[in-house]
Amino acid sequence: AQTVTQSQPEMSVQEAETVTLSCTYDTSENNYYLFWYKQPPSRQMILVIRQEAYKQQNATENRFSVNFQKAAKSFSLKISDSQLGDTAMYFCAFMINNAGNMLTFGGGTRLMVKP
Amino acid sequence: EADIYQTPRYLVIGTGKKITLECSQTMGHDKMYWYQQDPGMELHLIHYSYGVNSTEKGDLSSESTVSRIRTEHFPLTLESARPSHTSQYLCASSSNPGETQYFGPGTRLLVL
């Protein structure tokens, strides 16, 4: 079975600063995907970034980037130039590459961006 | 945003009532999922479907039931609501292997 751990229940950052959210996972699989999702207060869960485990290059999406360390089973999310709209719950998730596309979620990190 | 819809968005109902939470997607996705999430907490998979007439229970035991008669529609039913069912219910869908799951806006259920 796979497990995903987010060790930071809550974090805060000043607007325009950079923040890194931690995620570690445990699996015996070699072919998988990792995701970061964002869930703003009372709003829809949306995908922030996706990483394929067989790719060594870290995924980036505008101000969002990941540090994927496969050997260490670590998948942290870096948010640069934080904006007030980044305030949300962030969930790290793991998916084995099979037909089911089942996600295993971490417990989430609540991020507050302060003006 | 993904084309996945949930109704109602909010529901307050008395104990013992039967309720159905609707979920529809217009993306033609074969896989659909239901999650239960308490406020600010992690998501727990309660049901999933790999296609029409396919339904399975998830990791978290739930008294709810689901059906998948049409590809685009995946309703969740509670025959007799109880206060312990108070939660947020999220529906999601996905298609090709490795494809992300797209989430609906959720239904917040309060059972009095």
Side-chain angles (χ1 to χ4, degrees):
Chain A
Q2 285 63 234
T3 60
V4 178
T5 302
Q6 294 179 246
S7 59
Q8 306 149 316
E10 294 186 359
M11 293 191 72
S12 63
V13 63
Q14 291 296 130
E15 196 175 7
E17 301 279 303
T18 294
V19 65
T20 298
L21 308 184
S22 301
C23 173
T24 57
Y25 58 95
D26 189 24
T27 185
S28 57
E29 300 286 336
N30 192 49
N31 192 5
Y32 52 86
Y33 301 88
L34 293 161
F35 304 85
W36 277 98
Y37 283 89
K38 170 185 177 181
Q39 188 179 38
S42 300
R43 291 183 61 188
Q44 201 157 340
M45 179 96 79
I46 59 172
L47 177 70
V48 174
I49 203 162
R50 173 179 176 270
Q51 174 81 43
E52 296 157 340
Y54 64 86
K55 288 188 176 179
Q56 291 186 337
Q57 186 173 5
N58 290 325
T60 63
E61 285 289 342
N62 301 316
R63 298 182 294 107
F64 298 87
S65 62
V66 297
N67 182 5
F68 173 47
Q69 302 289 328
K70 191 172 184 179
K73 296 180 181 175
S74 172
F75 184 60
S76 60
L77 175 70
K78 185 172 82 170
I79 306 174
S80 304
D81 185 25
S82 297
Q83 300 175 0
L84 296 178
D86 295 334
T87 293
M89 283 288 290
Y90 286 82
F91 291 96
C92 178
F94 173 98
M95 177 192 289
I96 298 173
N97 186 17
N98 61 20
N101 287 4
M102 304 292 280
L103 285 169
T104 300
F105 284 92
T109 296
R110 185 183 305 278
L111 177 68
M112 172 74 71
V113 180
K114 298 179 178 179
Chain B
E1 285 191 6
D3 296 323
I4 180 164
Y5 310 99
Q6 290 185 244
T7 57
R9 293 291 309 277
Y10 304 92
L11 179 62
V12 180
I13 200 162
T15 296
K17 299 292 186 183
K18 177 181 179 178
I19 59 171
T20 296
L21 307 184
E22 302 287 350
C23 176
S24 297
Q25 50 95 6
T26 59
M27 298 172 284
H29 288 171
D30 53 346
K31 303 171 188 63
M32 296 189 74
Y33 316 83
W34 274 105
Y35 295 89
Q36 185 173 342
Q37 182 190 30
D38 291 331
M41 303 297 285
E42 63 189 291
L43 283 76
H44 295 283
L45 181 70
I46 52 175
H47 298 283
Y48 61 97
S49 167
Y50 289 163
V52 172
N53 294 325
S54 154
T55 61
E56 301 286 344
K57 289 188 179 295
D59 303 323
L60 181 68
S61 176
S62 173
E63 295 168 346
S64 59
T65 59
V66 293
S67 62
R68 190 89 183 275
I69 299 173
R70 302 198 318 264
T71 298
E72 62 272 21
H73 196 212
F74 191 40
L76 180 146
T77 298
L78 277 166
E79 290 292 334
S80 179
R82 295 209 300 266
S84 60
H85 297 140
T86 294
S87 190
Q88 176 168 239
Y89 293 85
L90 298 176
C91 181
S93 70
S94 183
S95 58
N96 300 322
E99 182 71 30
T100 189
Q101 289 186 15
Y102 295 94
F103 284 81
T107 294
R108 291 182 183 270
L109 173 65
L110 173 61
V111 184
L112 302 175

